[in-house]
Each structure stands twice: as C-alpha cells, then as structure tokens.
Amino acid sequence: MTSPEPASDTARQARELFRELTGAEPVGTWSAPGRVNLIGEHTDYNDGFVLPFAIPFRTHVAVTPRTDGVLRVVSDFDPVPVEVPVAELEALFPARRDEVPEWARYPLGVAWALLAASGTAATAVTGADLAFSSDVPVGAGLSSSAAIEGATATALADTWGLDLDRVALARAGRTAENEAVGAPTGIMDQMASMLGEADAAIFLDCRTLATEVVDLGFDAADLELVVMDTGVKHSHATGGYGERRAACERGAAAMEVAALRDVSVDDLPRVAERVDEVTFRRVRHIVTENQRVLDTVAVLRNAGPTAIGELLVASHASMRDDFEISVPELDTAVDAALAAGAIGARMTGGGFGGAAIALVSREKVADVTDAVRRAFAARGFAAPHVFSVTAATGAGRDA
C-alpha cells in the first residue's frame, strides 16, 4: 500500500515530532487524505449512495514498533503523548473510552478495531510509537477524522502484517469512529480516504460497499472545485447528527424497511401518511438525495461536469430546508458563489458548520472567491478560507 504522493511538509513534521518523542528515526511514514463529498449527504448510514473524492490534504503518521507492547500516540494537534498497552485496548473500548483524550480515541480505536477485524490476539503484535501531523482542516467537513483513521489503519496493518484489504481497513475506521469515539457516522469518509484516485470520484453503494470509479473531467472542462471553509466548527459526536440519524431510523421503521435506501421518491406520499412532519422532511431529504447521487453519476458520464450544477443546488436546498443542517455562513457561501457565476454549489459534510463547495469555471474562480469573502464581511462573519481542491490518491505508505 504505497501512495504515489511525494513527501510533504506535513510528512516532515510528523517525522520531526517522532524524533522529539523518541530521539530516533521512524521506520516510515504513512498517510491518508481528507475528502470532499461531491453529492450524497447523510445517505451513507441509510445504506444509500454517495459520490466523494479524496483531496490533497492529508494526515501523515511516522511509526516505529516498540518491544514492550505499548501503543504511544502523539500529534501536533495535542503534543502530550498518550500511552495504552495493546493488551488493554479490548477493555478500554468502547466501555471506558472516556478515559482517553478524544483525539487519541481515533488512532487507538483503529488499533482495537484492526485486531478484532483480523482476529489477531494482542499478544501477537508489537507496540508502536505513532506521531501524527495533518494539514486537513479540522471541523471543516473535509473528514479530518477519516484521514487519521486511514493513516493509522494502513500504518498498523503494514507494521503488524495484517491480511486486510482496503475495504476492511475502511470498516475498521468506521468501527473506531462509531464505538471508540462515539460518533454515529457511516462509512463514506473512510472508503473515500482509502480508495481515492486522481481526477476521479468514488461512486459507493453503502449497503454492499461496491464501488465504481467515476471520472470527474473537471480539468478537461476547465473547471475547479472551490472549497469555502466557513470556520464554523462542528462535531459528529454531538447531538444534531445523532438526532438526524434517529429520525431516519424512525422513518425506515414506519415504512417497514431495513433502511431509507429501500424507499423511493414515489413512496414519499405514503411516508407522509405514516410519520410526523419533521420526520417526513428528514426522510424526504435522504430519499431525494439518493436519487440525486444516481442522477449526478449518470450526468457526469453522459453530459459531463458542466451539467451537474442544478443537482448540486437542489442538494443544498434539501439539506437547508428538509434536513436542517445548514447554518447562515454555509447559505451565504452558496448564495454568493452562485451569484458570482458558479455552475453549482452546496454545503458538504455532516453540516452544522464546516464547508461548502462550488463548481466554478477557471476564469471565474477569482470572482467567486472575492464575492464569497465580501458576502461574509457584509454579514459580519469571520473571513472564510477559500481554496481549490483536486481529486487525489487514497491512503498508503509515503513514497
């Protein structure tokens, strides 16, 4: 699992942090990217469809095995080392997860999940020192959590010699996030981080975990995908996300199906007869968003990326009005980008903050960027961080 990505400043920072921790050089560094979701929000934990792609921002981890059976993790996010014997992971997660700092639950939770997934006894693996450095913006909806999970999973799978494929590593990341961290997320982020390819999105069926690579064609069409990070932080482990997931489960139960994946747009009138108004709107977002993902894949393949703008705009409206996970800063970013000539725009990620994206012709990127910044200033919001991303490769050992 070697990534073709060249060494970066972040990889060098991980090695420097490792040297400060241990006084020695690591045996290697591994990394995994964050992701942007082009379309398909909150559909993943409803067994639905998503269309994310990995981005160039990555989390790097420098690693060397230890001989004493201890996992020691440190990060430039929190330079205080956290130590846990491998043999104690089973007792620690999930029952005693609060004994571990939240950031450290991600890598230590992945270690615990990897052992369970591979059926490997704690006594059969070494300890390890792991030092993390990341340039994935935290809380921006670009999945900094999946990046640290993917980096840890690939590093420990290689270090421990575990026979797990990339889907199994993504599953371990989701298990860590759900049970070790306590965030009720789906598997989209981990799959995108593990399976990303250059200039392509990953069309993922979250029920079967079947994937297809979908060429984006942005470069050939002179388009850029602009990220507008509002700076409003969010957390999947807090209440709003869990409440939306519970509403989806209520809707599925009312329709007597395993998941909202099994409800079609034509079924929505029957849904309205069986649930309260708020639950209906939550269900309507998931059902219509699933259809938008399928439509976006078809349009990309048949008409190209310049034709997907209306689908992106409809997705944002659904998240704003039906799922109610947008915030004024996200709406301002989307509206300003569209007014300045973006082909399409929508919030991306779990919501309640984070980032929006806009698909923009290259010649209008500067205009869109300026318009968004001016709109934020006019509303009295903190200045957004606006930048372009390309589709990048997934997790692996650094070249």
Side-chain angles (χ1 to χ4, degrees):
M1 294 183 186
T2 299
S3 167
E5 299 291 332
S8 68
D9 289 342
T10 312
R12 286 188 283 272
Q13 290 164 8
R15 290 193 295 270
E16 179 58 32
L17 186 60
F18 187 92
R19 286 191 289 269
E20 293 173 3
L21 177 70
T22 68
E25 292 292 330
V27 296
T29 62
W30 287 256
S31 66
R35 65 96 190 94
V36 158
N37 191 23
L38 186 62
I39 197 164
E41 228 62 76
H42 288 261
T43 50
D44 57 346
Y45 57 79
N46 288 287
D47 283 359
F49 304 102
V50 292
L51 192 65
F53 61 88
I55 59 177
F57 298 96
R58 302 179 78 88
T59 293
H60 295 259
V61 58
V63 181
T64 288
R66 293 169 62 108
T67 59
D68 61 358
V70 170
L71 286 175
R72 181 168 56 163
V73 297
V74 68
S75 169
D76 54 11
F77 182 74
D78 182 355
V80 178
V82 178
E83 296 186 16
V84 172
V86 177
E88 291 187 12
L89 292 172
E90 182 66 27
L92 193 63
F93 298 120
R96 292 164 41 207
R97 65 189 180 208
D98 290 345
E99 297 177 17
V100 179
E102 183 174 1
W103 84 265
R105 295 176 206 166
Y106 291 93
L108 294 174
V110 168
W112 163 70
L114 287 174
L115 294 177
S118 61
T120 303
T123 54
V125 299
T126 66
D129 283 320
L130 300 93
F132 295 87
S133 182
S134 180
D135 61 8
V136 184
V138 175
L142 302 179
S143 202
S144 57
S145 57
I148 193 171
E149 291 156 7
T152 305
T154 51
L156 289 180
D158 286 352
T159 300
W160 288 346
L162 303 180
D163 186 19
L164 296 172
D165 64 18
R166 286 179 171 264
V167 173
L169 296 182
R171 287 180 183 270
R174 178 181 60 178
T175 297
E177 190 147 349
N178 291 171
E179 300 186 34
V181 179
T185 57
I187 200 169
M188 171 185 69
D189 297 350
Q190 294 83 5
M191 290 288 282
S193 186
M194 292 302 306
L195 298 173
E197 295 192 16
D199 199 29
I202 303 299
F203 175 40
L204 170 64
D205 180 333
C206 294
R207 170 167 285 169
T208 66
L209 299 189
T211 60
E212 297 178 36
V213 176
V214 177
D215 290 335
L216 291 169
F218 291 168
D219 190 56
D222 287 326
L223 299 176
E224 291 191 16
L225 200 288
V226 176
V227 176
M228 301 166 287
D229 180 3
T230 66
V232 179
K233 303 301 182 187
H234 69 177
S235 173
H236 282 168
T238 52
Y241 191 102
E243 290 168 5
R244 298 309 186 277
R245 185 161 186 164
C248 293
E249 292 169 354
R250 289 196 303 272
M255 293 301 290
E256 300 179 332
V257 295
L260 292 182
R261 152 72 171 273
D262 303 307
V263 179
S264 72
V265 173
D266 291 340
D267 292 327
L268 286 174
R270 288 197 299 124
V271 176
E273 295 172 354
R274 299 186 182 191
V275 301
D276 62 88
E277 190 267 339
V278 171
T279 301
F280 172 70
R281 287 190 287 109
R282 306 296 189 250
V283 171
R284 182 168 60 186
H285 165 70
I286 299 300
V287 172
T288 57
E289 186 80 345
N290 269 327
Q291 187 59 53
R292 282 187 288 270
V293 175
L294 298 175
D295 292 345
T296 300
V297 171
V299 170
L300 282 170
R301 288 173 169 163
N302 297 320
T306 58
I308 67 171
E310 290 184 3
L311 291 162
L312 301 181
V313 173
S315 175
H316 183 77
S318 181
M319 289 183 286
R320 181 192 63 213
D321 301 334
D322 278 352
F323 224 56
E324 294 183 289
I325 56 174
S326 190
V327 296
E329 290 86 348
L330 288 168
D331 296 337
T332 297
V334 168
D335 292 344
L338 292 172
I343 291 170
R346 61 185 287 273
M347 59 151 284
T348 188
F352 309 104
I357 56 174
L359 189 60
V360 183
S361 63
R362 264 195 199 106
E363 63 183 12
K364 292 186 177 180
V365 168
D367 291 340
V368 167
T369 299
D370 182 60
V372 171
R373 289 173 175 160
R374 285 189 285 106
F376 270 57
R379 294 287 302 273
F381 298 148
H385 183 205
V386 184
F387 54 93
S388 297
V389 295
T390 55
T393 55
R397 186 165 185 167
D398 295 332

